[in-house]
Amino acid sequence: QVQLVESGGGLVQAGGSLRLSCAASGRTFNGYAMAWFRQAPGKERDFVAAISWATGRTIYADPVKGRFTISRDNAKNMVYLQMNSLKPEDTAVYYCAARRITTVLVTTGYNYWGQGTQVTVSA
């Protein structure tokens, strides 16, 4: 069974940086997309970024482009989200996710999820 465990959340001031980590286990991920989603209080869960495990290709949601970077370390089965220039509106629970893909990265259809880690950005 695929298991995803996030870590690295916390409290940071606006303009600061934080790096989230996701430990992936349970299978090989060569045919998978790995992604980060976030959910703020009272709002739906939104796509943040995704990366192809095999190729390293990435996609980003518009609000985080130029500020966040998704990456992976295949040898360590780790996925990261480097978050820079953080804003109060980035405050949310951040979730690591995974899904099987054929070729193109997608923002929907993820069926494996981590437990989430809280990120709070103060003004």
Side-chain angles (χ1 to χ4, degrees):
Q1 185 67 255
V2 171
Q3 294 181 344
L4 306 171
V5 181
E6 304 97 330
S7 62
L11 176 64
V12 64
Q13 290 186 323
S17 297
L18 208 58
R19 190 183 78 159
L20 306 183
S21 299
C22 174
S25 63
R27 65 163 301 131
T28 58
F29 293 93
N30 196 56
Y32 278 72
M34 314 299 290
W36 290 94
F37 289 74
R38 65 187 183 184
Q39 187 168 23
K43 298 183 179 180
E44 66 181 20
R45 191 171 297 185
D46 291 329
F47 171 81
V48 175
I51 186 168
S52 167
W53 189 264
T55 69
R57 289 183 292 113
T58 59
I59 56 173
Y60 296 91
D62 286 341
V64 308
K65 286 181 179 177
R67 300 189 298 122
F68 291 9
T69 302
I70 188 171
S71 62
R72 90 290 198 225
D73 186 331
N74 297 54
K76 297 181 179 179
N77 273 17
M78 296 289 292
V79 183
Y80 305 99
L81 185 68
Q82 179 66 47
M83 305 184 294
N84 298 326
S85 301
L86 282 162
K87 306 174 181 179
E89 50 262 48
D90 295 319
T91 295
V93 177
Y94 282 71
Y95 297 89
C96 184
R99 64 159 289 166
R100 188 74 171 85
I101 60 169
T102 301
T103 303
V104 300
L105 289 169
V106 294
T107 64
T108 60
Y110 289 82
N111 56 337
Y112 298 103
W113 297 89
Q115 81 289 344
T117 186
Q118 177 71 48
V119 172
T120 302
V121 184
S122 61

